Amino acid sequence: MDVLGMDTLDIARWQFGITTVYHFLMVPLTIGLGILVAVMHTMWVRTDKPEWLRMTRFWGRIYLINFVLGVATGLVQEFQFGLAWSEYSRFVGDVFGSLLALEALLAFFLESTFLGLWIFGWGRIPKKLHLAALWAAVIGSVVSAYFIIAANSWMQHPVGVEVDDATGRPVQVDFLAVLTNNTALAAFSHAIVAALMVAGALLVGIGLWHLRKRRLAGRSPEDVDHAVWRRSVRLGGWVSLAAFALTALTGDWQGKLMYEQQPLKMSSAEALCQTEAPASFSIFAWGKLGDNECDDVHSITVPYILSYLAHGDFSTAVPGVNELQEEYAAVYGETYPDDPSFGDKAGEPIDYAPVLAVTYWSFRLMIGMGAVSAGVAAYALWSTRRGRVPTSRIGVYGSLLAVGAPFVANAAGWIFTEMGRQPFVVHPNPDVAVEDQVWFFTAQAVSPGISAAEVWTSLISLGLVYGALAVVELWLITRFVRAGVTTGDGHPAPEPPDDDAARNDRDDDVLQFAH
Amino acid sequence: MDLQILWFAAVAVLWTGFLLLEGFDFGVAALLPVLGRRTADRHLMLRSIGPLWDGNEVWLITAVGAVFAAFPGWYATWLPTLYLPFVLVLFGLIIRAVAFEWRHSHHTEAWDATWTRVITAGSLIAALGIGAALGATTLGLPIDADGTRVGGAFSGLSWSALLGATAVLGFSLIHGALFLALKVDGDVRLRARAFALRWSPVAALPLLAWAGITHLRYGTPVTGVLWLVAALAVVVAWARIRLDREGSAFAAWAVLLVASAATIFGAAYPVVVPSTIDVAFDVTVADASVSDYTLTVMTWAAGVGLPVVLGYQAWTYWVFRKRLTAEPVHEQVTGAHA
C-alpha cells in the first residue's frame, strides 16, 4: 500500500531517521553535560566552595531532566532494528547484536544504577563514594557511546568478518578488529568532543543570560550566585573552544578515512561531479543538486583544499561522483537483483550517489554550526574577561539562541554520515578483495511481513508522543533555567545533611532536592 | 552446540530477572490507585521504587539485546510479527519513564496527579504488552517458512498472548504488593498485605496455566516437577502472608516466577518461536543462533561483566534497604507548593 507515494521502505527510513535524530538530541547533552557536572561535583568535593555545589545541583538537574528523555527514546532503538529492519538484523546478526547486548550489559547498567545512587545518595552515602557514583554513571554513558558507534562504524566499514558461503552473510572472525575499527575510533572521538560542545554552549548561553539579568537588576557581583554563573560561562567557553578545535582534528581524521573507505560519500559531501586534481573545496553550490543531476551543479570553490582534506597534500586527485558511480556499478551491479527480497526495487537500476542536496548541505551545516558555536564561546570568554559582565542585548541573547547550534551540528553530522552511505546499509569494505567483501542494500533491509499502514501508524504515534515530550521538556527546562540556582522548587537548595540524625530527619528534603 | 544451550539459558535468566525486578515496580505502579488512598500514600509508594525502576528496566534492554546478540533469527521473527503490540509497549515504557522524572519537576497537585496516573497507565500497558509478547513467543506465532508473519497486523495476538498478558500482570500485582509490605510502613503496608492475601491465589492462575500448557505441550518430567514447585510456591506464599511473614512470602512468590519461567523455557527448548501454521516452520535455537565464535566472545564478556553488574546492583538495593514511612515533613513540603 502506498500512501503519499511512499512504500514501507520509505516510511521505515523516515521513522528510523526521525526517532534516531530525536534521540540524538538528548545523547550529546547527556554525555557532555554529564562530564561537566562530574567535574563540578569533583571541584566541590575538593575545594568545598559553595558555588561548585550550586553549579552541580543546577546543571545536575538539567542533566537529569534531559537524561530521562534520552533513556525513554533510547528504548525504541533497542527494538526498532528488529521491528522494521528484520532482514538487516538477520544479515548483520553475527556482529551487530553482540555490540548492542554488550552496550546494555557493560554500559547501561552502570549508567542507570549509579545515577540512581547519585540522585538518591545525597547525604546518605559518604561524600567521595557519592562523587564516584556520578563518575561511574558518566563513564557508563561514554562506554555506551563507544559500543553503539562501533556498531555503526561496522556498517560503514565492516571489518573482522568473513563471508559465509552458504548464507552469504558475514560471520565474525575477529571481535577485536570490530572493537578497534579505525572508523569507530575516529567517529567515537569526534562524537565525544561534539558532545562537549553541546554542553559548553549550554553553560555559556544560560550563564551569560543570568549574569546580564543580575547586572541589570543591580544584584551584587560578590555573592555565590554570581560566582556560579561566571564560573559556568568560563568553564563552558573554554570547553567549547577546546572541543571545537578537537572536532576539527577528529573530523579531519574521519575525512581521510572516508576518502579511503567510502570515496563516494566524500565526493557527495562536496557535490564534486568530475574528478579533480588538485581538488577544490566547495563553499556554496546551486543548480540541480536536489535532482541528483550532478553535471548541472555549480559551486564557488577554494582550490587545493579538498585534496588536503581527503589526502593530506595539495595535489592528489579526488574522484568525482560520476566516475565513482561507474566504478561502483561495475563491481556491485547496474541493477538490484531481480529477487523478491528487494520489493519494488527488484530489477531496478541502482543509483550509487546519495541524495547530493542532503549530503552537501548537511556537511556544511555541521561545520557552520560548529563554527558559530566556537565564535560564541570566544565572545563569551572575551566579554567576561577579568570579571566583566556583558550587557549587550544582542550578544547575550545571541549566545542564548546559539545554544541550539551544536545540537544542529550534531544532528547534521549524523544525517550526513548515514545518508552518505546510501544506497548501502552496510557499505562494502574496500580494504579486502571484492570476493571477500560484505555489503547490504537498504532496499533489502526492511521487514518483509509488515505493511506500510503499520509503519505509518507507528511513525505517526511515535511522532506525536515525541512532539509532546519535546514541548514538556523544553517548558520544564526553560522554567527551571529562569528560576536560577534556587533549585526551581521555589526555595534555596538545602545543604546536604552531615550527621546520621539529620540524615534521617531530612530524608525528604534530600528527596526534594533529588527531584 | 553447548554454547547455544548456555545462551538460551542466559536469555531465559535475563527475562526472568527482568520480570522479577521490574515486576515489582510494575506492580507498585499499577497499585497506586488501589492502595494509595491519600496523596502521601502514593508518594510513599513511588519513593519505594524511585531509585530502582531505571536499573530494573535495563534488564529488559539487556534481555532484548541478548536475544538479538545470540539469536538474531529469534529477534528478527518475533519483533516484526508483533510489530504494533511492541510499539504499544514502547509507548507505555516511554511515558512511564518520563513521568517518573517529570512528576517532581513542577509542584502543583494537578501536575503530580496527572503524572502519577501516567505512571500507572504506562506500567499497565508495558506489563500487559510484554506478557503478551512472551506468551506468544512460547506458545506460537503465525509465521511461514521464512519466519515472516502470515495475516494482518494483529494476527500475532491470540489466546496465548492474552494468557501471557494476564500472567505477567497478575504476577506483578502481587509481587508489587509484597514488595510494598516489605519496603514501607503504615497503612500502605497493611493494605498491601491484605491485597496480597486476598488476591494472590487468583493472580497466580494465569501464570500457572501458561507454564502448565507449555509443559503439557512440549514438556519433560523435569518441567513437570518444576511446575509442581511453582504451584507449591503459591500455597507457601499465601500461607506466609497469612502469618504476616512478608520476607518469606516475597521469596516464595519469587519462586513462583522462577519455577514457572524455568518450566516454560525448559519445555519450549529448543524451539524459540513455534509456528501456529506448521510445526515445520518452528524457529529453533539452531536456526536462530549466531556463530560459535560470537557466542564464545559473548560468553567471556558476560562471564566477566554479569557478576560485576549483579554485585553493584545488589549493593544499591542494600544502600536503599531502609523501610520507608510517609513522614509529616513530606506533606508539609509538598503542601507548601501545592
Side-chain angles (χ1 to χ4, degrees), chain B residues 263-299:
Chain B
T263 310
I264 293 164
F265 283 105
Y269 182 86
V271 175
V272 289
V273 189
S275 171
T276 52
I277 309 285
D278 188 332
V279 255
F281 303 157
D282 287 359
V283 180
T284 66
V285 163
D287 304 332
S289 166
V290 292
S291 65
D292 247 26
Y293 174 82
T294 299
L295 286 178
T296 309
V297 170
M298 285 200 304
T299 305

Side-chain angles (χ1 to χ4, degrees), chain A residues 255 258-276 279-282 285 289 292 294 297 299 306 309-310 317-325 327-328 352-361 363-364 416 420:
Chain A
M258 197 190 347
Y259 170 76
E260 306 276 336
Q261 296 166 356
Q262 299 182 358
L264 196 40
K265 189 193 276 185
M266 186 79 196
S267 306
S268 304
E270 292 306 312
L272 180 75
C273 299
Q274 307 298 341
T275 304
E276 281 185 19
S280 318
F281 181 83
S282 165
L289 217 49
N292 262 23
C294 209
V297 175
S299 68
L306 184 56
L309 290 179
V318 176
V321 171
N322 292 341
E323 184 188 328
L324 287 166
Q325 281 243 48
E327 282 179 20
Y328 272 71
Y352 286 98
V355 184
L356 292 179
V358 172
T359 51
Y360 181 87
W361 288 114
F363 193 61
R364 268 144 203 79
F416 166 68

Side-chain angles (χ1 to χ4, degrees), chain B residues 198-275:
Chain B
R198 182 163 181 195
W199 293 107
S200 54
V202 182
L205 288 180
L207 182 55
L208 288 176
W210 175 11
I213 292 169
T214 326
H215 165 70
L216 290 177
R217 201 187 274 184
Y218 316 101
T220 62
V222 177
T223 57
V225 174
L226 287 168
W227 187 85
L228 287 175
V229 172
L232 192 65
V234 179
V235 179
V236 173
W238 187 79
R240 299 308 285 177
I241 306 167
R242 266 196 76 172
L243 296 171
D244 293 345
R245 304 303 291 263
E246 292 141 345
S248 50
F250 186 78
W253 194 255
V255 170
L256 161 68
L257 179 81
V258 173
S260 300
T263 310
I264 293 164
F265 283 105
Y269 182 86
V271 175
V272 289
V273 189
S275 171

Side-chain angles (χ1 to χ4, degrees), chain A residues 366-432:
Chain A
M366 171 183 78
I367 296 172
M369 286 292 141
V372 164
S373 205
V376 167
Y379 161 78
L381 289 172
W382 174 251
S383 65
T384 56
R385 69 190 184 284
R386 288 193 295 277
R388 277 166 227 241
V389 172
T391 51
S392 152
R393 204 183 158 82
I394 295 177
V396 170
Y397 277 89
S399 305
L400 198 55
L401 199 66
V403 168
F407 284 98
V408 175
N410 269 275
W414 276 108
I415 290 168
F416 166 68
T417 204
E418 296 301 286
M419 288 295 284
R421 193 190 51 224
Q422 304 301 327
F424 294 103
V425 66
V426 177
H427 189 283
N429 175 2
D431 304 346
V432 295

Side-chain angles (χ1 to χ4, degrees), chain A residues 55-299:
Chain A
M55 282 168 77
T56 308
R57 294 186 157 186
F58 177 81
W59 296 111
R61 189 73 192 87
I62 293 182
Y63 168 66
L64 292 177
I65 294 176
N66 170 72
F67 180 83
V68 74
L69 197 52
V71 168
T73 53
L75 276 165
V76 176
Q77 301 304 99
E78 195 78 16
F79 286 80
Q80 72 171 332
F81 298 107
L83 288 172
W85 303 100
S86 66
E87 295 316 290
Y88 166 79
S89 301
R90 286 182 206 279
F91 183 77
V92 301
D94 209 40
V95 179
F96 196 85
S98 48
L99 293 170
L100 290 196
L102 290 179
E103 182 192 23
L105 181 69
L106 302 178
F108 289 159
F109 273 122
L110 199 66
E111 206 179 7
S112 61
T113 309
F114 283 97
L115 200 60
L117 197 65
W118 185 67
I119 296 171
F120 290 88
W122 285 94
R124 290 187 188 197
I125 53 177
K127 229 175 173 181
K128 286 195 175 152
L129 193 62
H130 185 229
L131 172 64
L134 178 58
W135 275 111
V138 169
I139 289 168
S141 302
V142 174
V143 171
S144 115
Y146 192 80
F147 278 112
I148 200 65
I149 286 177
N152 177 271
S153 296
W154 187 84
M155 299 160 73
Q156 315 280 354
H157 183 226
V159 292
V161 290
E162 282 172 1
V163 186
D164 178 28
D165 292 331
T167 60
R169 291 176 189 159
V171 182
Q172 186 163 235
V173 291
D174 189 350
F175 178 66
L176 214 59
V178 173
L179 273 192
T180 56
N181 190 348
N182 52 11
T183 319
L185 296 170
F188 169 74
S189 43
H190 195 61
I192 294 294
V193 288
L196 284 167
M197 286 194 71
V198 168
L202 190 76
L203 263 63
V204 164
I206 292 173
L208 279 184
W209 183 77
H210 270 292
L211 279 180
R212 177 176 182 271
K213 197 174 88 166
R214 289 174 52 85
R215 160 63 64 87
L216 295 182
R219 307 272 293 273
S220 160
E222 304 299 327
D223 67 11
V224 178
D225 281 9
H226 182 85
V228 164
W229 302 122
R230 191 178 154 72
R231 277 196 196 280
S232 297
V233 172
R234 304 294 297 179
L235 177 65
W238 283 117
V239 165
S240 279
L241 275 188
F244 178 69
L246 291 170
T247 49
L249 281 177
T250 53
D252 183 54
W253 180 15
Q254 280 189 291
K256 290 187 168 52
L257 289 175
M258 197 190 347
Y259 170 76
E260 306 276 336
Q261 296 166 356
Q262 299 182 358
L264 196 40
K265 189 193 276 185
M266 186 79 196
S267 306
S268 304
E270 292 306 312
L272 180 75
C273 299
Q274 307 298 341
T275 304
E276 281 185 19
S280 318
F281 181 83
S282 165
I283 301 285
F284 190 88
W286 66 96
K288 295 190 176 170
L289 217 49
D291 299 340
N292 262 23
E293 287 186 21
C294 209
D295 293 322
D296 282 323
V297 175
H298 313 278
S299 68

